[in-house]
Amino acid sequence: MSEHGAHIDVTIRRGTGASGWFQTYRVPRQENQTVLDVVSWIQQYADPTLSYRFACRVGMCGSCSMMVNGQPRWTCRTHVSKVLQSNSVRIEPIRNLPVINDLVTDMDPFFDKWVRAGGVHHPTRTRKDAIEAIDPGSAARVEIDARIECINCGVCYAACDTVAANPGFLGPAALQRAWTLVNDPKDGARQQILDAVSGKGGCHNCHSMGNCTRYCPTDLNPLAAIAGLKRETVRSLWGKRKNA
Amino acid sequence: MLDVRLYLAQRLSAMLMVPLVLGHLVVMTYAIRGGLTTAQILARTRGSVFFMLFYGLFALAVSVHAAIGLRVILHETARVTGVWLTAFTVVAGIGLLLLGEHAVLVVTWP
């Protein structure tokens, strides 16, 4: 039990769309308790009308992201003891996305930008062809390996001040996805992706503040991916393709 | 609200400004520490092709760089887009260029 007491005060942003209010609940304090546990307790024992989103509870699905004391976090892997301030915690829906209700945001704009950034697979072979052999030690593959661990949680998107100021900006996650495909020898639309991230709202709008990398719960580095896209798009513009 | 061309123009103008800023600092330090009067400074700059090209290029690089930077600030703070944003960028760039080149000509024209 916490030295602060047997309960914690949890303030949650309620309501639909842009209109909302804050409601405070008193939740029993447990020694080992995540922010998602707290939200679940409120929904199960205090207010069944509370809307929130979660699935795996083990940091794999990326669906439980919320703003915790003003910072984006994956709530299933965030211990209350690490974020408690004066025995209270404030929970809001993740930033930069429209609120559907309470803690649930509409993720469509987030994933629409993945598509706009060319983040879909462009196959080079048909199902009748043999699978292309990829050297796991090649530089391009190593560059991709860490980045495909992105769990699509939207934490980087919520942390990004450029997205907040420039809603047309594709955002760190979509651009990092594009960077994996640019480096993927099995993707057949490298130039198409570079063109997609070179227009208005593309990678060149990033101010390199690095909030995406700082807050990524899986320790990925979207900032470096965006820097890579900036380099490759400039090379591409000047006709100096990396693999030429 | 940048695409790759505006991004590149801003980076290239910044690269151009690096030696020009350093050169400008040297000139300013020389003028102030040496205790030159206005007349002595103008005697050195008027009719000087070097100073005309040096500061003429400087004003051009600043105009490109600053106009694109102001464009980003305007878009991200006031959400201005489209033709208005383009018009602002062009007017800011041309305005800065005219002001800068006018100042250069005033002190370098023979």
Side-chain angles (χ1 to χ4, degrees), chain A residues 30-160:
Chain A
Q30 304 290 331
E31 194 170 346
N32 198 354
Q33 186 177 31
T34 66
V35 173
L36 183 61
D37 290 336
V38 165
V39 175
S40 296
W41 188 94
I42 293 170
Q43 203 254 7
Q44 287 170 24
Y45 297 106
D47 189 346
T49 68
L50 177 65
S51 300
Y52 68 112
R53 188 184 279 138
F54 76 98
C56 74
R57 306 182 74 121
V58 290
M60 292 185 70
C61 73
S63 57
C64 69
S65 306
M66 300 170 198
M67 302 298 288
V68 181
N69 288 339
Q71 299 189 353
R73 291 181 178 276
W74 54 353
T75 57
C76 70
R77 299 289 296 272
T78 302
H79 282 262
V80 167
S81 57
K82 288 188 177 175
V83 295
L84 217 50
Q85 294 177 349
S86 304
N87 207 38
S88 63
V89 63
R90 185 183 179 99
I91 304 171
E92 299 165 76
I94 54 170
R95 194 170 71 133
N96 295 338
L97 287 166
V99 177
I100 295 175
N101 192 34
D102 296 340
L103 299 172
V104 178
T105 53
D106 179 3
M107 300 294 284
D108 276 356
F110 176 72
F111 288 112
D112 285 347
K113 288 180 178 179
W114 285 54
V115 178
R116 270 179 51 203
V120 294
H121 182 52
H122 312 90
T124 53
R125 298 186 179 192
T126 69
R127 64 180 62 195
K128 293 171 184 170
D129 298 320
I131 295 174
E132 187 173 347
I134 301 295
D135 176 10
S138 66
R141 188 61 220 179
V142 170
E143 183 66 28
I144 294 171
D145 269 345
R147 305 187 190 289
I148 58 173
E149 299 299 326
C150 173
I151 59 173
N152 320 337
C153 63
V155 164
C156 61
Y157 192 82
C160 180

Side-chain angles (χ1 to χ4, degrees), chain A residues 1-9 26-31 33 87:
Chain A
M1 208 55 79
S2 164
E3 62 192 33
H4 296 292
H7 294 87
I8 54 175
D9 293 321
R26 182 147 283 198
V27 179
R29 180 83 166 93
Q30 304 290 331
E31 194 170 346
Q33 186 177 31
N87 207 38

Side-chain angles (χ1 to χ4, degrees), chain A residues 161-168 198-202 204-207 230-231 233-234 237-238, chain B residues 1-8 10-12 71-73 75-79 82-83 85-86:
Chain A
D161 287 336
T162 307
V163 172
N166 177 3
S198 295
K200 291 173 181 173
H204 308 95
N205 292 272
C206 170
H207 294 303
K230 286 176 179 174
R231 279 195 311 273
T233 49
V234 169
L237 188 68
W238 286 23
Chain B
M1 188 58 90
L2 295 182
D3 58 17
V4 64
R5 286 173 177 79
L6 286 172
Y7 169 84
L8 198 55
Q10 199 177 31
R11 266 56 187 178
L12 289 174
R71 170 193 174 89
V72 173
I73 293 170
H75 174 65
E76 293 194 0
T77 54
R79 300 280 168 90
V83 66
L85 190 61
T86 303

